[in-house]
Amino acid sequence: MITYESRLKLYNCDTCLFKIISCKYIQQSEFEKLQKQSTQLRFRKGESILKQNATATHLVFLQKGIVKFSVEDESERNQILTITRAPSLIGGANIFNQGINMFSVFAVEDCECCLIEIPTLKEIALSNTSYMLTLLEIITGMFKNSILNFISLAHKQVNGKVADVIIYLSKSIYNSNTFTLSLSRKELSEFAGCSTENVIHTLTKFHKEGILSVSGKQIEIRDFDRLEKISKVG
Amino acid sequence: MITYESRLKLYNCDTCLFKIISCKYIQQSEFEKLQKQSTQLRFRKGESILKQNATATHLVFLQKGIVKFSVEDESERNQILTITRAPSLIGGANIFNQGINMFSVFAVEDCECCLIEIPTLKEIALSNTSYMLTLLEIITGMFKNSILNFISLAHKQVNGKVADVIIYLSKSIYNSNTFTLSLSRKELSEFAGCSTENVIHTLTKFHKEGILSVSGKQIEIRDFDRLEKISKVG
DNA sequence: AAATTAAACTGCATTTTTTCATTTTTTATG
DNA sequence: CATAAAAAATGAAAAAATGCAGTTTAATTT
């Protein structure tokens, strides 16, 4: 018989950031209700964590890894809404979409996640409004980021779009001027909203101009100021 | 002395939709707290109802009229996030943005609004979770619409973008195949994310092809199926 | 109602982007 | 480790979008 204790433990729940945040607002005993029915899972690069249009049964606390939020439209074209790295709480937006996942979430690197049952969380949050407000702030923060991302892409041309994507990855995902991309050129283009070839051309151009150093998946920002200027003028 | 009773009354609060929705969840006496400090205001076409980056002090219940949500980016370019018509609750998203308005709201037609103080509403909502959930569903619904709008625009070219905008206006704003635009060509282009000339060219083309009948602000959709096909293929 | 201003429209040259065909490089697989 | 498959890169032609200059039309003001 598989009991809670015998389940795979990828990491220790006691040091989990979601627990630490939660226990600022709710009792430890309450959190243990959540913990008991939560499942730790590992996802390999490329696997889907949440599927667009499926019933939203779980929230996901991403403990380790990087994920992309994407939607597929009628014309089978993919659009990446945003990219997020651990630690972060994902899938919350679906709570407000009649319980249907608005978009898919894919592992872009190997991920370790904790799946939290929505009904249990909802029940606890309903009896503790400041906890609820905190969760909502996290959830709407993601919305906000996606919107800001779209705005910045909407009126820019490809130079600006690619600059934006590189700046975003550097600042918000890898926290460094030098990083090894976990996204393919195709995925970059789905994030930037242009053709794959256009991303490749632009990266090569930035490389030649000494703004970036690009060698396959290895990227270094050599002239951040110039990159930001390109992002601003579009 | 200006008392509550002596204030301008644009419409009767007793038949207000926001009151009807609210009183499903909260006591009439509670709602009257909100009502007492709320202000009815009229906005002329073009006036700003909420200003981007200002402190978010009020939620706005739009009783009559049409508004646009817009953001101005660094390069002084405007982007319209979405367009909404009465009745609707607007400005809610700002609650989760450290109390700063994420975007501006402008009257696109003469509007009648009711300004509701956020602190009072928050206080009431905090003591009634199902009321809060309802408000949140309304608020995140707007987020959701903006994102869906952006997604549909992101990978499409101008034919598809303009088709999308016309379909949206027809279905969600004017509820008719024939309508008098309250937006300028420039605003349409800010909504679609392309140049003004391109919108004009495309509208003329659709007119020549018999898909639309365009005469200044007067628009009629003559071939909805073809318009939807254009929207789908992009 | 005339004059002024703003918005809408037109066509064209320039720039940007996409698409396609092909080559090179990297990654995965037996 | 060789081979197949996928991803990345390149160049060029075709398509699309922008920006400009000038015209027409509509809306505002005096």
Side-chain angles (χ1 to χ4, degrees):
Chain A
M1 179 190 160
I2 297 174
T3 64
Y4 167 59
E5 284 72 19
S6 70
R7 280 196 205 142
L8 168 70
K9 278 287 181 186
L10 296 171
Y11 42 81
N12 184 353
C13 291
D14 293 330
T15 57
C16 165
L17 185 64
F18 183 60
K19 176 173 185 172
I20 293 166
I21 293 171
S22 296
C23 288
K24 280 188 192 161
Y25 303 96
I26 64 174
Q27 296 293 317
Q28 183 118 1
S29 58
E30 289 243 76
F31 187 81
E32 270 158 21
K33 280 192 221 164
L34 277 177
Q35 199 173 315
K36 284 230 168 76
Q37 49 73 13
S38 296
T39 323
Q40 294 187 356
L41 278 182
R42 198 194 291 274
F43 291 91
R44 302 236 153 255
K45 177 169 182 159
E47 286 184 320
S48 79
I49 300 173
L50 297 175
K51 261 296 212 186
Q52 187 179 0
N53 297 327
T55 310
T57 53
H58 292 83
L59 238 71
V60 178
F61 187 71
L62 186 66
Q63 289 276 1
K64 186 165 166 288
I66 299 175
V67 299
K68 64 173 179 182
F69 291 67
S70 69
V71 285
E72 195 176 313
D73 64 8
E74 306 107 344
S75 48
E76 78 211 33
R77 270 179 129 161
N78 269 14
Q79 169 72 37
I80 294 180
L81 293 180
T82 190
I83 294 179
T84 303
R85 78 175 219 293
S88 82
L89 185 66
I90 60 185
N94 300 318
I95 296 178
F96 299 107
N97 189 41
Q98 288 102 37
I100 307 290
N101 287 333
M102 282 181 66
F103 26 73
S104 300
V105 177
F106 288 94
V108 152
E109 283 188 353
D110 291 356
C111 289
E112 288 173 8
C113 302
C114 186
L115 274 65
I116 303 156
E117 280 180 16
I118 288 176
T120 316
L121 183 64
K122 218 167 175 177
E123 190 195 315
I124 293 173
L126 276 173
S127 65
N128 188 318
T129 43
S130 44
Y131 183 47
M132 188 183 222
L133 279 182
T134 306
L135 292 180
L136 284 166
E137 226 155 303
I138 295 171
I139 290 166
T140 51
M142 207 229 77
F143 265 125
K144 195 184 128 189
N145 278 339
S146 305
I147 288 186
L148 292 178
N149 180 47
F150 275 120
I151 290 168
S152 87
L153 297 180
H155 273 302
K156 285 180 184 172
Q157 46 199 55
V158 175
N159 284 346
K161 291 179 180 188
V162 172
D164 268 5
V165 166
I166 298 296
I167 291 171
Y168 177 81
L169 293 175
S170 160
K171 277 193 178 170
S172 304
I173 302 296
Y174 301 108
N175 297 330
S176 167
N177 280 350
T178 317
F179 51 87
T180 309
L181 264 183
S182 28
L183 299 162
S184 69
R185 301 294 195 260
K186 182 155 174 287
E187 284 172 315
L188 289 181
S189 75
E190 287 170 354
F191 194 19
C194 64
S195 72
T196 310
E197 291 89 336
N198 216 338
V199 167
I200 295 171
H201 284 145
T202 309
L203 285 177
T204 318
K205 195 173 69 184
F206 287 175
H207 179 82
K208 282 180 184 156
E209 289 171 356
I211 299 166
L212 299 178
S213 161
V214 182
S215 169
K217 303 261 167 173
Q218 199 63 34
I219 293 195
E220 184 192 346
I221 301 178
R222 305 188 83 121
D223 192 339
F224 207 94
D225 290 346
R226 202 126 62 94
L227 198 60
E228 282 210 305
K229 201 171 285 169
I230 292 170
S231 155
K232 283 216 176 87
V233 298
Chain B
M1 179 190 160
I2 298 175
T3 62
Y4 166 60
E5 283 73 19
S6 70
R7 279 196 204 143
L8 167 70
K9 279 285 178 186
L10 296 171
Y11 41 80
N12 184 354
C13 291
D14 292 328
T15 57
C16 164
L17 185 64
F18 183 60
K19 177 173 185 174
I20 293 165
I21 293 172
S22 295
C23 288
K24 280 189 194 160
Y25 304 96
I26 64 174
Q27 297 291 317
Q28 183 119 359
S29 58
E30 289 244 74
F31 187 81
E32 268 157 23
K33 280 193 221 164
L34 277 177
Q35 199 172 314
K36 284 230 168 77
Q37 47 75 13
S38 296
T39 324
Q40 293 186 355
L41 278 182
R42 199 194 293 273
F43 291 91
R44 301 235 154 256
K45 178 171 180 156
E47 286 185 320
S48 78
I49 300 173
L50 296 175
K51 261 297 212 184
Q52 186 180 0
N53 296 327
T55 309
T57 54
H58 294 83
L59 238 70
V60 179
F61 187 72
L62 186 66
Q63 290 276 1
K64 187 166 166 289
I66 298 175
V67 299
K68 63 173 180 183
F69 291 68
S70 70
V71 286
E72 196 176 314
D73 65 9
E74 305 107 344
S75 48
E76 76 211 32
R77 270 179 130 163
N78 269 13
Q79 168 73 38
I80 295 181
L81 294 180
T82 190
I83 295 179
T84 302
R85 79 176 218 293
S88 82
L89 184 67
I90 60 186
N94 300 317
I95 297 177
F96 299 107
N97 189 42
Q98 287 103 39
I100 308 291
N101 287 333
M102 282 181 66
F103 27 73
S104 300
V105 176
F106 289 94
V108 153
E109 283 189 352
D110 292 357
C111 288
E112 288 173 8
C113 302
C114 185
L115 273 65
I116 303 156
E117 280 181 16
I118 288 177
T120 315
L121 183 64
K122 217 168 175 176
E123 190 195 315
I124 293 173
L126 276 173
S127 65
N128 187 317
T129 43
S130 44
Y131 184 47
M132 188 184 223
L133 279 182
T134 306
L135 293 180
L136 285 166
E137 227 156 302
I138 295 170
I139 291 166
T140 52
M142 206 232 79
F143 265 124
K144 195 184 130 189
N145 278 339
S146 308
I147 288 187
L148 292 179
N149 181 46
F150 275 121
I151 290 168
S152 87
L153 297 180
H155 273 300
K156 285 180 185 172
Q157 47 200 55
V158 173
N159 284 347
K161 291 180 180 189
V162 172
D164 268 5
V165 166
I166 298 297
I167 290 171
Y168 178 80
L169 292 174
S170 161
K171 277 194 179 171
S172 304
I173 303 297
Y174 301 108
N175 296 331
S176 166
N177 280 350
T178 317
F179 51 88
T180 309
L181 262 181
S182 28
L183 299 161
S184 69
R185 300 296 194 258
K186 183 155 173 289
E187 284 172 315
L188 289 182
S189 75
E190 287 170 354
F191 194 20
C194 63
S195 71
T196 310
E197 290 90 337
N198 218 338
V199 167
I200 295 170
H201 284 146
T202 309
L203 286 178
T204 319
K205 196 172 67 183
F206 286 174
H207 179 81
K208 281 180 187 158
E209 290 172 355
I211 299 166
L212 300 178
S213 160
V214 183
S215 169
K217 303 261 169 174
Q218 199 62 33
I219 292 194
E220 184 193 347
I221 302 178
R222 305 189 83 121
D223 192 340
F224 207 94
D225 290 346
R226 201 124 64 95
L227 198 59
E228 281 209 307
K229 201 172 284 170
I230 292 170
S231 155
K232 282 216 178 87
V233 298

